[in-house]
Amino acid sequence: QVQLAESGGGLVQAGGSLRLSCTASRNPFAINVMGWYRQAPGKQRELVAFITRGGSTNYGDSVKGRFTISRDNAKDSVYLQMNSLKPEDTAVYYCNANQVTGTNHWGRGTQVTVSS
């Protein structure tokens, strides 16, 4: 069972930056897509960004131009650089990894809080 460990969340003022990291362990065999989702209180979990093993990326509309996803395949890690943060970015951010078999894995989440 793949395990995902997230880090980098915290409290930041509006306009600030944070960088999230996520590393897969325990047989991270053939992970194709890695990404980040977020869930704010009372809202559904939504896509933030994902990146394929080959480096293709896709972003949610609300973060385009502000967030950048990157990946280190050798380290089975994915990163999310978040700039120009807004209070509405406040949420629990979850790392996601999808293996070529179709098996989907989730991290436990890291809290990001943006104060106004």
Side-chain angles (χ1 to χ4, degrees), residues 10-32:
L11 173 64
V12 65
Q13 288 188 334
S17 299
L18 283 174
R19 186 175 186 253
L20 305 183
S21 300
C22 172
T23 298
S25 61
R26 290 196 175 186
N27 302 318
F29 173 73
I31 291 178
N32 181 20

Side-chain angles (χ1 to χ4, degrees), residues 69-114:
I69 191 169
S70 60
R71 179 171 176 170
D72 186 335
N73 291 329
K75 296 181 179 179
D76 293 309
S77 295
V78 64
Y79 311 97
L80 186 69
Q81 178 65 44
M82 304 185 293
N83 298 329
S84 301
L85 282 161
K86 305 175 181 179
E88 50 264 44
D89 294 318
T90 296
V92 178
Y93 284 68
Y94 295 92
C95 180
N96 174 269
N98 188 269
Q99 294 178 283
V100 293
T101 56
T103 306
N104 212 25
H105 304 277
W106 293 93
R108 299 179 68 175
T110 184
Q111 177 70 45
V112 171
T113 302
V114 185

